[in-house]
Amino acid sequence: MRLVLLGAPGAGKGTQAKKLIEKYGIPQISTGDLLRAAVKEGTDLGKEAKSYMDKGELVPDSVVLGMVEERMKQDDCQKGYILDGFPRNTAQAESLDGMLDKLGMPITAAVSVDVPFEDLMKRLTGRRTCKDCGQMYNIYFSAPAKEGVCDKCGGELFQRDDDKEETIKKRLEVYESQTAPLIDYYGGKGLVKRFDGTGAIDDIFAKICTELEG
Ligand code: AP5
Ligand code: MG
């Protein structure tokens, strides 16, 4: 399985990716997670990226492409991969196609998770993530048993810096104008599989698995 996950901020890309990893044992490559790791480490790349992320804008393509290429060359990607949050615009998608052709591991499906815009704000303002294992929760929809503590590993939960209402609005605008056109881009290649991203997380996951295995 060599997948691209498409969907607006808050659609559930990361949530579904975590379940795909567990079931199929293939790695998730989330450019958002890679960038947040660089921010945390305080590298030059991280400092540059943070200035864009805090505004809800895309980090320059050159920064992200280098990061992805390095990651795709690691051994674990040989058995498949889940690209989450990348590509984000047509230029990135074209560069990715070139990169994957060269590596001999083209995409087998683009999974689009569709959620109405009015649901996304609550999903994002309510999101909490475990500092240690990355498990995602939502204070409105899937709260942890104990506030602020991860059910899985006991780690501390945090709220992302870009999950503020103003920044979310900008991220949604950027998605509409730059990322949503990728559904047609991959549609034109016959790779898109669309899923209703509302309803229970496990039901959405089951539908995705059935379609991917079928
Ligand atoms: P990134 O980290 O990719 O964020 P995003 O695309 O905005 O998407 P999110 O991670 O916010 O949403 P998600 O779809 O993963 O939802 P989740 O599963 O967490 O990017 C962040 C920033 O980095 C960008 O703004 C940009 O600056 C930069 N960046 C990243 N990649 C880049 C690139 N390629 N090029 C340039 N810049 C880049 O779920 C959200 C919440 O909803 C959770 O609380 C979850 O529990 C809940 N939830 C999930 N499913 C359901 C459900 N079915 N019902 C109810 N609640 C649900
Ligand atoms: Mg995510």
Side-chain angles (χ1 to χ4, degrees):
M1 256 175 222
R2 295 188 294 266
L3 309 177
V4 166
L5 296 186
L6 299 172
K13 302 181 296 294
T15 301
Q16 296 298 330
K18 294 264 176 306
K19 298 181 77 69
L20 289 163
I21 301 173
E22 252 172 52
K23 178 156 180 170
Y24 298 109
I26 48 176
Q28 167 199 23
I29 300 164
S30 157
T31 42
D33 287 349
L34 292 172
L35 289 166
R36 279 184 290 278
V39 170
K40 206 169 156 192
E41 281 167 32
T43 61
D44 287 344
L45 186 151
K47 283 177 196 150
E48 189 192 352
K50 186 165 170 50
S51 64
Y52 294 93
M53 294 167 84
D54 284 348
K55 286 185 280 190
E57 290 170 3
L58 294 184
V59 172
D61 293 347
S62 55
V63 172
V64 179
L65 282 164
M67 234 171 46
V68 172
E69 182 152 25
E70 205 181 303
R71 182 64 187 86
M72 299 296 296
K73 285 182 182 157
Q74 290 175 22
D75 282 351
D76 60 344
C77 292
Q78 288 300 324
K79 57 186 174 184
Y81 54 77
I82 307 158
L83 284 167
D84 164 8
F86 178 89
R88 220 46 176 229
N89 57 32
T90 309
Q92 289 184 9
E94 286 168 354
S95 300
L96 176 66
D97 283 343
M99 187 194 302
L100 295 176
D101 278 348
K102 222 168 52 187
L103 294 170
M105 41 195 215
I107 293 158
T108 51
V111 170
S112 174
V113 183
D114 305 328
V115 174
F117 260 47
E118 52 271 26
D119 295 355
L120 296 170
M121 186 59 81
K122 202 163 180 186
R123 283 198 185 188
L124 290 170
T125 52
R127 172 167 54 193
R128 301 292 183 271
T129 309
C130 176
K131 274 199 165 104
D132 296 333
C133 74
Q135 178 63 36
M136 245 104 55
Y137 297 88
N138 194 290
I139 57 168
Y140 305 115
F141 307 116
S142 52
K146 186 166 175 231
E147 193 186 326
V149 181
C150 179
D151 289 346
K152 275 197 171 168
C153 77
E156 189 190 333
L157 304 185
F158 74 99
Q159 185 168 19
R160 261 168 55 176
D161 285 344
D162 60 348
D163 280 346
K164 298 190 187 84
E165 208 168 316
E166 275 318 299
T167 318
I168 293 170
K169 279 187 192 150
K170 179 68 187 175
R171 284 161 59 202
L172 294 175
E173 273 170 38
V174 169
Y175 171 78
E176 265 307 288
S177 61
Q178 303 199 43
T179 312
L182 294 182
I183 297 176
D184 285 343
Y185 178 89
Y186 288 112
K189 296 173 186 289
L191 289 172
V192 170
K193 296 184 188 302
R194 298 191 78 152
F195 299 90
D196 177 359
T198 60
I201 291 169
D202 287 344
D203 293 345
I204 300 163
F205 182 63
K207 284 182 195 145
I208 293 175
C209 294
T210 304
E211 180 72 29
L212 291 177
E213 289 172 16

